[in-house]
Amino acid sequence: MSERSLVERIGDHVHGFLRDLNDQGLRVPVPRQRVFLQAIEAAGPRDATHLYWLGAATLTASPEDLEVYSPTFERWFGAVPARPVRERESPDDETPAPRGQGDEAPFTAATGGEAGLKASYSEHQRRPVFGPASEDERAVLSLLRRELPGAVPTVRSRRRRPGRRGPWIDLARACRESWRGHGEIVALPRRTRPRRQRRVLLLIDVSGSMKQHSAAYLRLAHAVVGRLDRAEVFTFGTRLTRVTEPLRARDVDTAVGSLSEVVLDAEGGTRIGVALQEFLSNPRHVTVARGALVIVLSDGLERGDCRPMEAAVRRLSLLSHRLLWWSPLACDPAYRPVTRGMSAVLGSVDALAGVRDLRTAYAQVQTLGRE
């Protein structure tokens, strides 16, 4: 058999496997299928086990996806390797876990050093533990809830409402009032398009390099969801997770604490470009971003090829009303966006600001209100 015919048969086999995944209910977006094929080309799988984990890392996004992926893979490529068993970590266990590829050195703006220039793309599942908010944080949250409605930019509603002034005559109301006045129209009622808040979209980085700030960012998101009419929140590390509904709980500690059952990639690696492309591949998510105030809370540290991140941020900028990037690294006056990822997306971002806790977030919200 010639080499070309062999390559064609292998390609048909892989594409058949992807079609079977779709038939079994695992609908993988085209960008992620492309990443899977690029991973095969770049890594050159040594055996079926290697190919299995390449597919698991690129084609699945949850344990439920893996339950569909594994038997389908076994039908097409043979035996499935045993999944590693991880011991669940107890929140009370203060023994530090050994540092792996996905554990990042925590960054503190006052310390400087090499932190803030490294990231990882390793993926592992662990349940993060978010402690209760302090009294100071609760006080700042109260200030944020009061400030947020006036800080969000507005847009003219497409629906017309009754108003004291307006370019349109409200004929229905004029007819109703004329009945009361025995056919006399005393004044012409008007209709107008009132202003309404724009959508707000928060994209929160929960990777290992952001673990010191993730809890504060999620508490900020709770205030945004509870106070604004139209707000959506997603987290990303090695995958994308929508967390809007859990954050609707009234108490901030209850809402943020419940995310430990939802956000399974916290304190792990970083794949910003892949997560943002997954967001943009979903038409419903694109509708959320169109014309919205989009705020990305991340240090912008990306591993590997930064072109997917650059392309995704550029498209997100074109869709949104404004795209803001809030980074804990930018709190340091000496910070410069010299990493490949941040330097690539800087031209697509409307503003880069420093936010590392609720106090600095409140200062940025006040800046939005003045603008």
Side-chain angles (χ1 to χ4, degrees):
M1 184 182 299
S2 65
E3 181 178 354
R4 181 175 180 179
S5 60
L6 178 61
V7 171
E8 290 177 352
R9 289 190 60 182
I10 294 174
D12 292 341
H13 195 75
V14 172
H15 285 288
F17 164 65
L18 294 174
R19 286 193 299 269
D20 194 13
L21 282 178
N22 183 75
D23 295 339
Q24 297 301 321
L26 179 54
R27 305 188 183 278
V28 183
V30 173
R32 284 167 57 186
Q33 294 184 27
R34 188 180 302 117
V35 171
F36 171 59
L37 298 176
Q38 290 172 348
I40 294 176
E41 183 179 1
R46 300 180 298 273
D47 49 30
T49 300
H50 191 190
L51 179 61
Y52 173 87
W53 291 116
L54 284 178
T58 55
L59 300 176
T60 65
S62 66
E64 292 76 14
D65 290 351
L66 204 59
E67 291 177 0
V68 178
Y69 169 80
S70 296
T72 308
F73 183 92
E74 186 173 6
R75 285 197 303 272
W76 285 83
F77 299 102
V80 175
R83 296 173 60 184
V85 178
R86 294 181 179 271
E87 295 182 1
R88 183 172 179 180
E89 297 179 0
S90 171
D92 299 327
D93 186 6
E94 298 181 358
T95 305
R99 300 184 65 85
Q101 187 181 7
D103 295 324
E104 310 295 337
F107 173 83
T108 304
T111 60
E114 293 183 353
L117 298 178
K118 298 180 180 179
S120 169
Y121 50 75
S122 64
E123 180 174 7
H124 66 277
Q125 293 184 7
R126 60 181 301 175
R127 299 184 185 276
V129 178
F130 302 109
S134 64
E135 291 299 324
D136 181 67
E137 288 178 321
R138 288 183 176 273
V140 178
L141 284 172
S142 298
L143 297 175
L144 277 167
R145 294 188 187 99
R146 185 181 64 187
E147 194 80 21
L148 278 168
V152 176
T154 59
V155 63
R156 287 284 182 187
S157 173
R158 294 186 179 183
R159 296 185 178 182
R160 300 174 185 177
R161 304 290 185 187
R164 297 181 60 184
R165 298 182 180 87
W168 299 280
I169 298 174
D170 192 342
L171 294 177
R173 190 151 56 109
C175 291
R176 288 195 302 269
E177 293 181 358
S178 69
W179 279 96
R180 300 189 186 98
H182 302 285
E184 296 290 337
I185 298 178
V186 179
L188 287 176
R190 297 285 179 170
R191 292 179 71 85
T192 185
R193 292 169 54 193
R195 303 197 72 87
R196 62 183 301 188
Q197 294 174 354
R198 288 186 179 271
R199 288 191 182 93
V200 175
L201 170 63
L202 298 185
L203 299 169
I204 301 177
D205 188 345
V206 293
S207 62
S209 60
M210 297 290 294
K211 58 186 175 183
Q212 287 186 324
H213 315 285
S214 297
Y217 288 171
L218 293 171
R219 293 183 184 114
L220 168 64
H222 176 265
V224 170
V225 171
R227 197 68 179 91
L228 302 182
D229 297 333
R230 299 184 299 168
E232 288 286 344
V233 183
F234 291 81
T235 63
F236 65 89
T238 55
R239 64 183 66 185
L240 184 75
T241 308
R242 181 176 180 268
V243 295
T244 308
E245 295 305 322
L247 289 174
R248 295 193 189 280
R250 187 175 183 87
D251 180 67
V252 60
D253 290 339
T254 303
V256 175
S258 66
L259 296 181
S260 62
E261 304 293 329
V262 180
V263 181
L264 301 179
D265 58 336
E267 302 179 11
T270 308
R271 288 206 292 258
I272 302 176
V274 173
L276 294 183
Q277 285 191 333
E278 181 180 351
F279 176 88
L280 294 170
S281 66
N282 189 319
R284 295 178 62 184
H285 297 167
V286 170
T287 302
V288 171
R290 184 172 287 113
L293 173 65
V294 180
I295 304 176
V296 182
L297 296 108
S298 171
D299 52 16
L301 302 183
E302 178 74 314
R303 283 292 295 265
D305 189 3
C306 294
R307 286 176 295 182
M309 175 180 170
E310 181 182 4
V313 173
R314 185 186 304 114
R315 188 183 175 202
L316 200 58
S317 176
L318 294 174
L319 285 170
S320 63
H321 169 66
R322 291 194 71 199
L323 175 58
L324 309 180
W325 198 290
W326 290 355
S327 169
L329 306 181
C331 292
D332 185 356
Y335 169 74
R336 297 294 181 271
V338 296
T339 57
R340 289 183 303 157
M342 283 308 303
S343 60
V345 306
L346 198 59
S348 301
V349 175
D350 291 303
L352 173 64
V355 172
R356 64 170 174 260
D357 51 24
L358 290 177
R359 286 284 179 185
T360 50
Y362 177 61
Q364 292 303 321
V365 169
Q366 287 182 308
T367 302
L368 284 178
R370 289 194 294 268
E371 293 176 353

